[in-house]
Amino acid sequence: MNFKKYILAVSIFSSVFTACGNDNVGNGGDPVVPVGPTSGDVMIYTTTGSLSHDFKKSFVNFNKTSNMSSQTIKLLENTKYQTMDGFGSAITGSTAYNLLKMTSADRAKFLKETFSPTEGMGQSYIRIAIGCSDFSLSEYSLADKPGIENFALQEEELKYVIPVLKEIIAINPTIKIMGSPWTPPMWMKVNNLTDLQPFNSWTAGHLNPKYYQDYATYFVKWIQAMAAEGINIYSITPQNEPLNDKNSASMLMFWPEQQAFVKNALGPKIKAAGLSTKIYAFDHNYNYDDMPDQQDYPIKIYEDPAAAAFFAGAAYHNYGGDKAELLDIHQKAPQKDIVFTETSIGTWNDGNVLGKRLTEDMREVALGTVNNYSKAVIVWNLMLDSEKGPNREGGCQTCYGAVDISKSDYKTIRKNSHYYIIGHLSSVVKPGAVRIGTEGFKGNGLTYAAFKNTDNSYAFVITNDSGSATRIVLEDGKNNFGYEIPANSVVSYTWKK
């Protein structure tokens, strides 16, 4: 049987796993055997929901004649929006565990395809947990024994996460890393801020104000410990999902608590330590979990100038509400950054059905957040196994990874929508790029964004979620070229003027 045809056929039913190292996977997912021109003015990556194009690389040249097409999209480089930080995924304990179950050769190949800026997709931003998460091998903190002097990196960091991060950094030395805690040490938690009773649980509780300074020191020690391992921490959030008290590892931190903790402890401690690590507020859902007193969480924090000075901006997830909230927050605080830091696919949203998820996730998660001023897009687990794990009781047990690896051989990989939507951005939109304006053809089912990179190249990413192909012409003020965007596809372009 022709293996490529077999892969294409079964992908329609979204049950295909693509073997790491087989003939369907090349640099960044490209077919190894070149198809069509191998060079040209414009480099293009195309992925279709049917995988008839699997991150296929191709090239076209600029048109030699002037453009009169009514389906022209013109880039407006003098209309500038946010500067991009990067795109990527989470290296959880579970992800690191799965990666390290691969052979070193297979893992090196996959990481190169994923993170190399020159020979792969060039993912450029990673999120990791400070201590455990619901995708860890156990519940733990970095100071389980009472007393901040007992801080130490644990087995999950030392044996799993840090070795994987070092391999990634060797491939992409400029990659950004964000850290977020799911819970502090249990001895720092109380049941509520009125009774202040000890709360001996990984799940829920509040941070005892008595330990604000110790917990701030905990962050500083973690940043310094990672630096000692050669891992620079670019940014942190004070609490993952501060309105969620039901995760296997979690803690409530309402906006007045986060404002006070950062203003009086975390911000000053990071500054005193001479660290440049950015602090992002909130790190939770667009709809603030429908809590009336938590609406506009970051905006309420910013209302105190002394607290606001320590925050680079705010981080968001999409498990409730609409991406339009990002635009609202930007309009209320245009001087502050916005980053998108978590989204999942799973059994609840047909997460392994690429034909359904690819264009929707590109429209809503990737381009949707970027077009509402997000400087970064980070999805959840980079890699889970074929049984959706390892995971923790009380956490998500129905999630898929950006890719899923077969637990039977730790070699066979299925790439899901989140892998492609991040790759289509990171492959052409480089850190430091500025999102720029566009005008012209809209087209039924089309969503797109344009960028100018620091090397003066252009990047353009578009999704077509209609059932028919659409031809467009892109024009940069000097050159133009045409391309037919397949039905139900994502296409990325990069070129120099």
Side-chain angles (χ1 to χ4, degrees):
M1 178 183 288
N2 183 304
F3 188 69
K4 287 187 178 179
K5 288 183 179 178
Y6 170 75
I7 288 291
L8 178 57
V10 294
S11 72
I12 296 172
F13 300 98
S14 299
S15 60
V16 62
F17 281 79
T18 307
C20 181
N22 74 17
D23 67 350
N24 196 46
V25 181
N27 291 335
D30 303 338
V32 173
V33 179
V35 178
T38 58
S39 65
D41 296 324
V42 184
M43 184 168 66
I44 305 170
Y45 295 99
T46 305
T47 301
T48 55
S50 67
L51 282 184
S52 60
H53 294 67
D54 183 358
F55 207 71
K56 177 186 174 184
K57 182 191 285 186
S58 61
F59 296 86
V60 299
N61 288 319
F62 297 139
N63 292 329
K64 302 297 184 184
T65 58
S66 59
N67 171 38
M68 302 295 288
S69 172
S70 62
Q71 296 185 190
T72 297
I73 301 169
K74 186 174 182 180
L75 277 58
L76 306 174
E77 65 177 275
N78 292 325
T79 302
K80 299 178 182 179
Y81 301 103
Q82 77 272 27
T83 299
M84 307 310 299
D85 273 344
F87 310 96
S89 45
I91 303 296
T92 58
S94 298
T95 288
Y97 175 87
N98 288 325
L99 285 165
L100 290 170
K101 294 288 281 187
M102 301 174 75
T103 67
S104 58
D106 284 347
R107 183 174 63 254
K109 178 179 175 61
F110 174 75
L111 293 179
K112 184 178 180 182
E113 291 174 353
T114 303
F115 294 101
S116 172
T118 55
E119 299 177 75
M121 287 180 165
Q123 286 198 20
S124 49
Y125 213 149
I126 286 170
R127 184 168 177 246
I128 61 176
I130 304 174
C132 73
S133 73
D134 52 320
F135 280 92
S136 286
L137 306 180
S138 65
E139 276 88 16
Y140 71 96
S141 77
L142 305 178
D144 285 344
K145 183 178 178 181
I148 193 61
E149 68 275 9
N150 295 311
F151 175 95
L153 297 175
Q154 300 299 305
E155 181 181 60
E156 185 158 306
E157 285 78 30
L158 296 171
K159 186 176 177 181
Y160 297 101
V161 176
I162 287 173
V164 167
L165 291 179
K166 287 181 176 180
E167 291 187 23
I168 293 170
I169 291 167
I171 294 167
N172 186 349
T174 63
I175 199 159
K176 295 180 174 69
I177 299 174
M178 168 182 280
S180 303
W182 268 240
T183 178
M186 283 193 286
W187 54 269
M188 293 187 185
K189 297 172 85 168
V190 291
N191 60 339
N192 59 59
L193 298 183
T194 302
D195 300 333
L196 297 175
Q197 293 301 304
F199 192 77
N200 193 37
S201 173
W202 294 116
T203 301
H206 291 257
L207 180 62
N208 190 340
K210 169 180 159 182
Y211 292 117
Y212 276 8
Q213 297 303 321
D214 279 352
Y215 196 37
T217 299
Y218 181 97
F219 279 84
V220 170
K221 283 180 173 287
W222 178 75
I223 295 168
Q224 292 172 334
M226 295 299 278
E229 296 284 346
I231 298 165
N232 178 59
I233 302 301
Y234 179 78
S235 58
I236 55 172
T237 64
Q239 174 61 41
N240 171 69
E241 298 189 349
L243 307 180
N244 177 7
D245 62 354
K246 295 178 175 58
N247 208 340
S248 62
S250 54
M251 185 179 74
L252 292 171
M253 183 180 273
F254 297 139
W255 74 260
E257 299 170 77
Q258 188 162 119
Q259 183 187 65
F261 172 57
V262 174
K263 174 183 176 181
N264 300 319
L266 183 59
K269 289 265 187 182
I270 284 180
K271 184 177 180 180
L275 300 172
S276 60
T277 307
K278 297 177 182 290
I279 302 173
Y280 286 98
F282 191 47
D283 205 13
H284 206 173
N285 293 333
Y286 297 143
N287 67 349
Y288 310 96
D289 280 18
D290 295 320
M291 297 182 181
D293 59 345
Q294 298 303 311
Q295 299 298 306
D296 281 355
Y297 187 116
I299 301 302
K300 289 175 178 174
I301 287 177
Y302 301 156
E303 287 172 356
D304 182 337
F310 290 116
F311 287 92
Y316 279 84
H317 302 178
N318 73 338
Y319 304 120
D322 187 86
K323 63 186 182 298
E325 179 63 15
L326 301 181
L327 179 58
D328 180 64
I329 294 299
H330 169 76
Q331 291 171 341
K332 290 173 178 173
Q335 76 284 7
K336 295 295 187 183
D337 295 345
I338 292 171
V339 291
F340 183 83
T341 49
E342 190 181 313
T343 181
S344 288
I345 46 176
T347 57
W348 69 91
N349 64 359
D350 297 321
N352 63 349
V353 182
L354 187 66
K356 178 175 181 179
R357 291 253 53 91
L358 178 66
T359 57
E360 182 178 334
D361 288 344
M362 197 73 208
R363 182 185 72 241
E364 293 297 318
V365 173
L367 293 172
T369 60
V370 165
N371 283 334
N372 283 299
Y373 286 90
S374 182
K375 292 168 63 78
V377 183
I378 306 173
V379 299
W380 195 207
N381 296 281
L382 171 62
M383 177 183 283
L384 293 180
D385 68 30
S386 51
E387 296 180 7
K388 308 177 189 68
N391 57 47
R392 307 302 306 157
E393 287 187 19
C396 181
Q397 296 182 313
T398 56
C399 289
Y400 299 114
V403 306
D404 295 320
I405 191 163
S406 173
K407 199 172 179 180
S408 66
D409 62 8
Y410 288 100
K411 181 181 183 72
T412 310
I413 288 175
R414 178 184 62 211
K415 297 174 180 177
N416 296 319
S417 61
H418 281 181
Y419 190 72
Y420 289 108
I421 68 171
I422 292 299
H424 270 279
L425 284 166
S426 62
S427 59
V428 297
V429 185
K430 300 305 178 181
V434 175
R435 181 168 70 94
I436 60 175
T438 58
E439 66 178 10
F441 183 59
K442 300 298 182 184
N444 181 46
L446 300 183
T447 304
Y448 52 77
F451 309 83
K452 190 169 187 182
N453 288 307
T454 56
D455 67 355
N456 290 320
S457 64
Y458 295 105
F460 186 85
V461 182
I462 188 167
T463 185
N464 175 14
D465 64 6
S466 73
S468 58
T470 302
R471 185 169 182 81
I472 63 168
V473 175
L474 288 170
E475 184 175 301
D476 62 19
K478 177 184 177 183
N479 303 297
N480 73 84
F481 62 92
Y483 189 81
E484 185 168 276
I485 306 166
N488 300 311
S489 70
V490 179
V491 186
S492 302
Y493 311 80
T494 186
W495 72 95
K496 287 196 173 180
K497 202 168 189 176

